[in-house]
Amino acid sequence: MRTIFRRRESAAPLTLDIYDIAYLAGGPRRVARTALIRLRERGHIKFIVSRMRALRAVDPADHAVERAIIEKCHPVGADAFSAVAKVRRGPEMKKIGRRLAAYGLLSRSRQHLTPAGERELESARQEGVLPAYVFDGLAAVEDERLRKAVRKATPYQDGLGAGLVRMGEAIEDADEYDRELDSASDAASASGSDSGSDSGSDWGSHSCGGHFSCGGGGGGGGGGD
């Protein structure tokens, strides 16, 4: 189900879907996490220990971000973290950012939320239609195994590695909007703890660590999701 929000600013109608709102709430990482959760809930993917398997293709009418994640799960045995990282930097994600900037909800330079963006985000929250994890992140996901699996696919980085990643991505993609504002969540994820807060913004740098694979190839082991 795709939820569409329509507002009116001046004479022009404004149409936002769940991934637009997720982007306003937490940038590309929140969009990626929202897509993974929704794909899992609808039976398109399955998490097995540290692996992710695509069970079936999404409908062509579904969101471009969802289609991109499924497509990048092939060939079988592809690394899921790498696949999700590519989606977070891919054209589908950039299109969301450009559209929101065109609507005046993000600044065009560094894509920070504008006052209009903050109003849209709060209005969508007040409507109570979208899942809480769109606004509050993984802290709102009750399924602990799903929460861990999604975090492994979209982890935070800490220390020197994170600095190098941020530097490289700043050069490669100056308009990226995936900043981290919740240092407590970063520290908790870096230490492997599940007790840290996941409710803060997901505007963190892209990560390069971890091994979270997708596909139906052997290995895996252990119980399913």
Side-chain angles (χ1 to χ4, degrees), residues 23-43:
Y23 200 111
L24 292 176
R29 179 179 281 113
R30 186 67 58 83
V31 172
R33 288 180 167 180
T34 296
L36 290 173
I37 294 168
R38 283 169 58 81
L39 287 170
R40 168 61 182 81
E41 290 177 339
R42 298 188 344 250

Side-chain angles (χ1 to χ4, degrees), residues 143-219:
D143 186 330
E144 181 179 355
R145 286 182 294 180
L146 176 58
R147 190 168 63 244
K148 288 181 178 180
V150 172
R151 183 184 294 115
K152 286 180 180 179
T154 56
Y156 290 104
Q157 281 275 333
D158 197 11
L160 177 61
L164 294 175
V165 170
R166 292 187 182 101
M167 184 182 300
E169 289 179 348
I171 296 173
E172 172 186 344
D173 187 6
D175 68 351
E176 179 56 60
Y177 176 64
D178 203 13
R179 297 163 181 70
E180 178 182 353
L181 300 185
D182 188 351
S183 59
S185 178
D186 189 4
S189 294
S191 66
S193 170
D194 267 344
S195 60
S197 170
D198 277 310
S199 61
S201 172
D202 288 333
W203 302 348
S205 67
H206 293 311
S207 313
C208 289
H211 299 283
F212 189 77
S213 303
C214 73

Side-chain angles (χ1 to χ4, degrees), residues 54-214:
L55 302 180
R56 57 191 176 90
V58 295
D59 188 277
D62 288 331
H63 198 277
V65 169
E66 296 178 357
R67 295 196 300 270
I69 289 176
I70 293 294
E71 289 168 2
K72 286 178 174 57
C73 280
H74 301 288
V76 171
D79 181 77
F81 171 80
S82 297
V84 174
K86 289 177 182 177
V87 173
R88 285 169 55 187
R89 295 191 293 268
E92 300 84 4
M93 197 73 72
K94 293 179 185 297
K95 184 176 180 180
I96 298 175
R98 287 195 296 267
R99 182 173 62 251
L100 294 175
Y103 285 157
L105 306 181
L106 299 176
S107 64
R108 291 182 179 274
S109 56
R110 300 302 295 174
Q111 292 202 324
H112 291 172
L113 273 176
T114 64
E118 293 176 355
R119 291 194 297 271
E120 289 294 334
L121 183 60
E122 182 58 26
S123 180
R125 181 190 287 272
Q126 292 299 321
E127 287 195 11
V129 175
L130 296 178
Y133 58 75
V134 172
F135 304 98
D136 301 325
L138 294 181
V141 177
E142 295 183 0
D143 186 330
E144 181 179 355
R145 286 182 294 180
L146 176 58
R147 190 168 63 244
K148 288 181 178 180
V150 172
R151 183 184 294 115
K152 286 180 180 179
T154 56
Y156 290 104
Q157 281 275 333
D158 197 11
L160 177 61
L164 294 175
V165 170
R166 292 187 182 101
M167 184 182 300
E169 289 179 348
I171 296 173
E172 172 186 344
D173 187 6
D175 68 351
E176 179 56 60
Y177 176 64
D178 203 13
R179 297 163 181 70
E180 178 182 353
L181 300 185
D182 188 351
S183 59
S185 178
D186 189 4
S189 294
S191 66
S193 170
D194 267 344
S195 60
S197 170
D198 277 310
S199 61
S201 172
D202 288 333
W203 302 348
S205 67
H206 293 311
S207 313
C208 289
H211 299 283
F212 189 77
S213 303
C214 73

Side-chain angles (χ1 to χ4, degrees), residues 2-18 20-21 24 99-100 103 105 116 119-121 123-125 127 129-130:
R2 295 184 63 189
T3 305
I4 304 295
F5 292 87
R6 290 184 175 86
R7 310 262 186 262
R8 183 169 296 276
E9 289 188 1
S10 300
L14 179 59
T15 302
L16 302 178
D17 65 19
I18 185 172
D20 293 325
I21 298 299
L24 292 176
R99 182 173 62 251
L100 294 175
Y103 285 157
L105 306 181
R119 291 194 297 271
E120 289 294 334
L121 183 60
S123 180
R125 181 190 287 272
E127 287 195 11
V129 175
L130 296 178

